[in-house]
Amino acid sequence: MPALVLLGAQWGDEGKGKATDLLGGSVDYVVRYQGGNNAGHTVVVGDQKYALHLLPSGILSPGCTPVIGNGVVVDPSVLFSELNGLNERGVDTSKLLISGNAHIITPYNVTVDKVTERFLGKRKIGTTGRGIGPTYADKINRVGIRVQDLYDESILTQKVEAALDGKNQLLTKVFNRRAIEVEQVVEELLTYAERLRPYVADTVLVLNQALEADKVVLFEGGQGTLLDIDHGTYPFVTSSNPTAGGACTGSGVGPTKISRVIGILKAYTTRVGAGPFPTELFDDDGDALRRIGGERGVTTGRDRRCGWFDAVIARYATRVNGLTDFFLTKLDVLTGWEEIPVCVAYEIDGRRVEELPYSQTDFHHAKPIYETLPGWSEDITKAKTFADLPKNAQAYVRALEEMSGAPISAIGVGPGRDETIEINSFI
Ligand code: GDP
Ligand code: IMO
Ligand code: MG
C-alpha cells in the first residue's frame, strides 16, 4: 500500500507538475489535497506543453485516476474550461473523481478576494485573485458551499443566504460595492451540477480501498512549504496546508498509510507575491535566473522573484514535512555561472542563526550568509546518470544534500519527462 506525498519545499513553482507527471506512469491515483486553481503546474510531454491549475498532473497519464480531494477548493467554471482544453487536445479526462466534500469557490469569494487585496493597498498579500482565501475562510466559518450541496436546491439556497448575509453588509458598507443576489448565485451554481455529477464520489472510501488493494497513490501538493498557512511565512502565505500533514486531512487517508514524502526543491529559489525572501537578488544574477529559468507565473503571468539556494529553508522543509527524499529541479539553469553562492545560515541582528527563526520579525531581518561553490559550464541537459554530470555539478548537488537533511533521489536537468536523472527509485 505505497502512498507517496510529493510537495513543494520552498515557495511554490519548484517543478511539482513535472515530477508528478514523471511518476504518473507508475501510479494508480494522483490526488490533489489542498489549494485550488491558484496553482500553476507546467508539464511538458514530448513537444506538447500543458498548463494545469486545478487538475492533478496525473491526468496526463492514461492509466492513472486523478482525484480532487476534500481539502481542495473547486471553481467549477475553471474546472470545466480546463477539462475542455484537455479534451480538445485528445486527453481523456473521464476517470476524474471529485470529493463531494470539497468546497466550491463561488463568484462572491472571487469578488471578496479582489476587493480585500485592493483595500489592503501596499500591505496586500499579492494573492492570485482566484478566491482561494475567502473560500477557505467560509469553510472555517462554517458558511462554505460544498460540491454535494449542488444536489439539494433548498440546502444550497439556505447556505448561500447564510454566506451572503454578513458578506453583503461588508461589500455594501465597507467596500462600497453592490450587494450580491442570492438567487443569481444559486442559479449559476445549479448550472454546474449536472456536468459535475459523474465525477462526484466518496473519494475517502475510494482511496482507502485502493490502498488496501495495494494500489499506488500519489498525493500532489500545490504551492509549497513556506506558503503553508501554519508553517509558512504568515501572513504572506496561501490559505491551506501544502505541508505533508495536509495530504492526510485533505484526502481522508491516515498518516500511518504514508510511506514516503518527497520534497521538490529548486536548485535556486523563487517566490511570487509579497513577503520575506532572504536570498532574493535585485541584480543581474537575479535577472539571469529569471530569464534562463523562465521564471514567470503560469497562473498570473507575474515575474517571479529570484534568488540563490537557501539551505535554511530546505532544512526547515525536511523537518516540518518529515521528508524522506528530495527531487532537485532546474539544475540546468545554473549552468554557466563561474561560482554559485548558497545560503547556509542567516545573520540576524549580529547573530549567526542556523535554523529558520519562528519569529516573523527575526525572519524579516535575516541576512543570508553565503558559501560559494564552484560552477560548471558544460551542457547538462543530456545527462542521464549522476556520473554524467560535471564534477562541480556533482559537488553542488552533494553539498545541497548535506545541508538540506534528506537524500536527493532525482535531479531535473530540463523541463521534459526524460530530462531527469533518477538516483533512487521512488516506487
Ligand atoms: P510547479 O508549480 O511546482 O508545478 O512548477 P511550475 O510549473 O509553476 O514551474 C516550474 C517550471 O520549470 C515549469 O515551466 C517546468 O516546465 C519547468 N521545469 C521543471 N523542472 C525543470 C528542470 O529540471 N529544468 C528546467 N529547465 N525546467 C524545469
Ligand atoms: P504552485 O502550485 C507560487 C502565492 C501567491 C500569493 C500567496 C497567496 O504553482 O506552486 P492565494 O491566491 O493562494 O491566496 O495567494 O500565495 N501562491 C503561489 N506562489 N506558486 C503557487 O502555486 C502559488 N499559489 C499561491 O502568489 O503570494
Ligand atoms: Mg506553479
Side-chain angles (χ1 to χ4, degrees):
M1 43 141 228
L4 296 85
V5 181
L6 193 155
L7 53 81
Q10 295 151 320
W11 275 288
D13 302 324
E14 298 89 348
K16 298 175 294 290
K18 175 197 153 163
T20 303
D21 171 66
L22 187 71
L23 298 179
S26 348
V27 307
D28 300 296
Y29 293 82
V30 172
V31 187
R32 277 283 308 268
Y33 56 86
Q34 48 66 237
N37 59 301
N38 48 347
H41 300 173
T42 305
V43 180
V44 180
V45 184
D47 60 358
Q48 294 288 310
K49 191 169 172 177
Y50 299 90
L52 301 169
H53 297 283
L54 176 60
L55 293 168
S57 303
I59 200 139
L60 301 172
S61 301
C64 180
T65 302
V67 178
I68 292 181
N70 54 277
V72 175
V73 288
V74 177
D75 184 327
S77 64
V78 173
L79 174 74
F80 296 144
S81 72
E82 215 168 312
L83 288 171
N84 290 347
L86 289 175
N87 295 153
E88 278 159 21
R89 295 173 71 178
V91 177
D92 175 16
T93 55
S94 60
K95 284 182 159 179
L96 175 69
L97 300 179
I98 302 175
S99 165
N101 286 349
H103 280 245
I104 301 263
I105 302 177
T106 62
Y108 53 80
N109 293 136
V110 179
T111 304
V112 170
D113 193 358
K114 289 181 177 154
V115 292
T116 312
E117 281 283 275
R118 217 168 297 146
F119 212 69
L120 280 169
K122 65 178 182 359
R123 287 174 291 131
K124 70 178 182 192
I125 306 294
T127 73
T128 58
R130 302 299 192 262
I132 306 295
T135 306
Y136 278 114
D138 278 2
K139 175 177 174 175
I140 299 296
N141 282 332
R142 293 164 294 191
V143 291
I145 311 295
R146 295 184 298 173
V147 168
Q148 58 175 292
D149 297 331
L150 302 184
Y151 303 101
D152 187 326
E153 188 174 342
S154 151
I155 284 193
L156 179 66
T157 307
Q158 289 173 43
K159 290 191 174 182
V160 172
E161 267 166 11
L164 281 179
D165 223 18
K167 250 173 229 91
N168 272 336
Q169 301 282 335
L170 203 69
L171 283 172
T172 53
K173 294 182 182 152
V174 178
F175 293 123
N176 216 8
R177 306 273 298 208
R178 265 214 308 264
I180 295 169
E181 303 278 344
V182 172
E183 297 71 29
Q184 210 177 324
V185 173
V186 170
E187 205 174 294
E188 176 175 341
L189 292 178
L190 286 174
T191 61
Y192 302 128
E194 283 322 303
R195 185 159 178 207
L196 267 177
R197 198 188 282 277
Y199 303 117
V200 182
D202 181 350
T203 53
V204 175
L205 187 64
V206 170
L207 292 172
N208 280 285
Q209 285 179 338
L211 287 167
E212 273 160 32
D214 242 5
K215 303 284 187 210
V216 184
V217 177
L218 177 68
F219 296 94
E220 178 190 13
Q223 293 76 51
T225 301
L226 274 301
L227 286 173
D228 186 281
I229 185 86
D230 285 274
H231 301 290
T233 47
Y234 190 90
F236 302 101
V237 291
T238 192
S239 298
S240 66
N241 288 115
T243 50
C248 295
T249 47
S251 71
V253 168
T256 51
K257 304 277 169 63
I258 309 289
S259 44
R260 214 140 166 197
V261 185
I262 305 158
I264 313 302
L265 189 65
K266 213 178 267 192
Y268 50 98
T269 315
T270 62
R271 174 165 205 171
V272 195
F277 177 1
T279 63
E280 182 169 16
L281 294 167
F282 300 95
D283 58 6
D284 291 350
D285 282 329
D287 288 342
L289 286 173
R290 192 173 303 111
R291 191 182 65 251
I292 302 167
E295 298 297 352
R296 178 173 285 251
V298 191
T299 299
T300 58
R302 289 180 289 182
D303 271 357
R304 294 174 182 157
R305 301 157 65 192
C306 295
W308 299 122
F309 184 81
D310 185 337
V312 183
I313 298 273
R315 274 199 292 283
Y316 179 72
T318 304
R319 189 157 61 242
V320 296
N321 294 301
L323 295 182
T324 56
D325 305 79
F326 278 115
F327 188 137
L328 186 72
T329 60
K330 304 191 100 162
L331 186 65
D332 54 299
V333 174
L334 295 179
T335 300
W337 265 274
E338 232 167 83
E339 292 186 318
I340 309 169
V342 171
C343 169
V344 294
Y346 299 144
E347 190 202 304
I348 302 173
D349 302 329
R351 288 170 296 127
R352 182 183 169 103
V353 174
E354 304 281 338
E355 303 299 342
L356 198 86
Y358 74 87
S359 135
Q360 179 183 358
T361 311
D362 280 353
F363 194 55
H364 276 266
H365 293 164
K367 293 195 183 64
I369 298 176
Y370 287 114
E371 265 177 26
T372 302
L373 302 174
W376 61 92
S377 55
E378 302 89 332
D379 175 19
I380 62 168
T381 56
K382 303 283 177 305
K384 294 283 170 253
T385 68
F386 190 69
D388 293 341
L389 291 175
K391 285 283 167 287
N392 285 349
Q394 291 186 14
Y396 184 80
V397 173
R398 288 297 176 225
L400 263 45
E401 185 173 65
E402 182 76 18
M403 293 170 193
S404 306
I408 292 175
S409 295
I411 303 167
V413 290
R417 264 183 195 169
D418 52 347
E419 290 170 312
T420 309
I421 297 172
E422 287 190 62
I423 300 172
N424 305 312
S425 129
F426 287 113
I427 297 159

